[in-house]
Structure formats: structure tokens, C-alpha cells
Amino acid sequence: MPTLQELQDVTVQTRRDILRMVHKVNSGHPGGSLGCAEFFVALYHEVMALKEGFDMDGDGEDLFFLSNGHISPVFYSVLARRGYFPIEELNTFRLINSRLQGHPTTHEGLPGVRIASGSLGQGMSVAIGAALAKKLNKDEHLIYSLHGDGELQEGQNWEAIMYAAGNKVDNLIATIDLNGQQIDGSTDAVLPMGDVKKKFEAFGWDVLDIKEGNSIEAILKGMQEAKNRTGKGKPVCILLHTIMGHGVDFMMHTHAWHGKAPNDEQLAVGLEQNPETLGDY
């Protein structure tokens, strides 16, 4: 079991990976990736029950599905540093014929990736399907998923959310990255969603908040509480309150870095604010 300091060290290195990947190809989505670094590190290094090796079926282990696939940089970094594929492969991000495309894909067989994602709004349906498969297979492991808050503007989510509660899909923990930003501005400016917690509760979900979504300690505590609430007849939703661009001061609290790469000078500043901990690729 990793210590808190070890998890924090991986998080800092993950931020370095994100910045370097996006800078190299002058393309990608650093803002949401940086904001979710603690969540991914906690999930893959502590929270989920994972088995050695990778197969698409995922029998006998917890599964994770990334719905907002544009934050692939953080996903790839954490998968690599968890041992799913060589860390050096991060150097191929978004290159032609790379397994690490801008949005995760499955046709190249990248370990850790079970669905192609990026078409927003579909991940909830996939996660529910996987959770139902676990039940049919008498597999008591859990399904985890991550969704953007702006992504909830897609109608397919709400059909799936209604279905999950109506069918008591209580082995699912869906996390919403509640950073209040999307590509064209704040979520309130683009399309206000009102009280997201009350919406999920009205649809029959058990909902909890992690107010400090960029704190490893708060995430671990919140995720354990979410796990305790599974198996009780309701799907579980976590509202993860994060800061877009967290860890790089000039990228924080703004939608401007949703899909913008740092230049050479900005990269240097970002790396200086996140000193190397585990070694760059």
C-alpha cells in the first residue's frame, strides 16, 4: 500500500507528463487532465482492486471507464506509471500510428483501455452495461467511471442515469469532475445545469461530494465512503470539486487551457512548479 507521500509524488510526476506530452505535439487537453491528476492516481494506486496483467474482459477486478476522453494525457500517464505499458511510450502521444491517440482508442490494443471515448455523453451507458455484466457473471467487483460536468449537457446521460436507478445498478460509482469549465467558457455561461446533486438524487442515485477534489486524502476518504454505499440498491455518484489546470498557476480557474498546449516558456514555468519526483520519460 503506497504512502500518502508516494501518491503525492506520483501526482506531481503525472502533471509533468501531461505538460510534456501536450507541449511536444502542440496539441491536447491539459486543463482537465491536470485537474484530475489526484483522482486518477488515487484510483489506480489505492482505490481499485486490480489484478496482474490486462485483458478486455476484466473478470475478477474493478473496472474503470473514462467518458470525457479528451483528458487522455492524465489517463495515459497514470496507466504507464501503474505498469500497463512502458513509460517511454508516453513520448508517442498523438503521433501518427501511436497507440496513444488524442482520445483513447481500442483498435491498437493499448493495455488499460477498454473503450474508445471522446464522443461525450456515452460513457455512462457503457459503465452501466459493464456493471450489469458484473452482476450477471456473479462478479462482486465494482465499476468506476469519470464524466465531465459540461458533458452532462448531453441528453443520453440522463436516460442512462434514470435506467441505472430504475434497475438498481448498485455496483457502479460514477464520478463527475465538477470544475465548472468547458471548452467555450464556464458551464454556467454555456448551459447552466442547476443543482447537479439534486438532479442525481431526483433520478434515484445516492450522491456524495468530495469538496477538496485536488486533495489525495479527501479523495481516498470520499472514495471509501462511496464504496461503503454500494450494494444497497442505488447507483452511487461522486461530485468531485476540482480546479481545472490545478498545479500550474497560470492554467487554473479558466477554460482557456481546456485544449491549448503550453509554449516553451510556459512549459518551463509549469515544470518548475512541479519538480521532478520519479523521473521523466
Side-chain angles (χ1 to χ4, degrees):
M1 181 179 297
T3 66
L4 179 61
Q5 185 60 55
E6 288 171 335
L7 293 173
Q8 290 171 338
D9 287 346
V10 177
T11 302
V12 172
Q13 192 65 51
T14 294
R15 288 202 165 91
R16 292 180 65 87
D17 292 345
I18 293 165
L19 292 168
R20 295 177 74 244
M21 279 190 279
V22 174
H23 167 266
K24 179 182 177 182
V25 291
N26 193 33
S27 180
H29 298 78
S33 294
L34 292 167
C36 286
E38 285 88 357
F39 171 78
F40 273 89
V41 170
L43 192 69
Y44 272 89
H45 288 268
E46 180 71 21
V47 175
M48 286 201 299
L50 300 169
K51 64 185 182 184
E52 293 298 321
F54 174 77
D55 60 70
M56 289 296 285
D57 291 336
D59 294 333
E61 64 177 334
D62 294 341
L63 303 182
F64 171 73
F65 296 97
L66 175 64
S67 186
N68 48 331
H70 57 276
I71 64 168
S72 63
V74 64
F75 192 25
Y76 294 152
S77 171
V78 170
L79 286 177
R81 294 192 178 275
R82 188 63 173 77
Y84 281 83
F85 55 86
I87 294 172
E88 295 77 16
E89 193 168 352
L90 296 177
N91 202 44
T92 71
F93 176 66
R94 278 186 176 250
L95 297 182
I96 293 175
N97 297 323
S98 170
R99 298 196 296 180
L100 278 59
Q101 289 301 304
H103 295 76
T105 63
T106 56
H107 66 282
E108 295 292 349
L110 184 66
V113 177
R114 290 188 169 87
I115 61 164
S117 59
S119 296
L120 297 177
Q122 298 180 2
M124 185 69 74
S125 300
V126 173
I128 291 167
L132 290 172
K134 288 285 190 191
K135 285 178 172 288
L136 288 171
N137 292 330
K138 305 290 192 268
D139 185 339
E140 296 184 356
H141 287 84
L142 299 174
I143 300 298
Y144 295 86
S145 60
L146 180 66
H147 314 262
D149 49 0
E151 182 180 6
L152 294 181
Q153 295 160 352
E154 296 278 356
Q156 180 176 337
N157 287 295
W158 299 100
E159 296 179 52
I161 290 164
M162 180 169 54
Y163 179 93
N167 289 274
K168 297 181 171 56
V169 185
D170 57 2
N171 57 340
L172 168 65
I173 299 176
T175 298
I176 310 301
D177 178 19
L178 213 61
N179 61 30
Q181 306 290 333
Q182 60 189 102
I183 191 169
D184 289 326
S186 71
T187 51
D188 283 344
V190 175
L191 184 62
M193 291 178 289
D195 193 322
V196 176
K197 184 173 186 178
K198 288 183 178 178
K199 278 186 167 66
F200 270 91
E201 289 175 340
F203 273 71
W205 285 55
D206 189 358
V207 187
L208 65 149
D209 286 275
I210 299 180
K211 294 292 188 181
E212 298 178 77
N214 292 112
S215 162
I216 290 281
E217 292 178 282
I219 292 169
L220 292 176
K221 181 179 179 180
M223 296 301 284
Q224 184 58 54
E225 175 62 24
K227 290 168 73 172
N228 293 342
R229 297 188 187 189
T230 60
K232 298 180 179 180
K234 291 185 176 184
V236 179
C237 172
I238 294 174
L239 300 181
L240 185 72
H241 298 258
T242 69
I243 298 172
M244 179 171 274
H246 187 76
V248 181
D249 58 8
F250 61 88
M251 291 186 175
M252 294 170 63
H253 303 288
T254 174
H255 73 282
W257 293 93
H258 172 94
K260 176 183 175 183
N263 60 30
D264 292 349
E265 293 76 17
Q266 292 163 334
L267 173 67
V269 172
L271 294 179
E272 185 177 358
Q273 293 175 10
N274 292 273
E276 183 178 330
T277 56
L278 302 177
D280 291 327
Y281 52 86

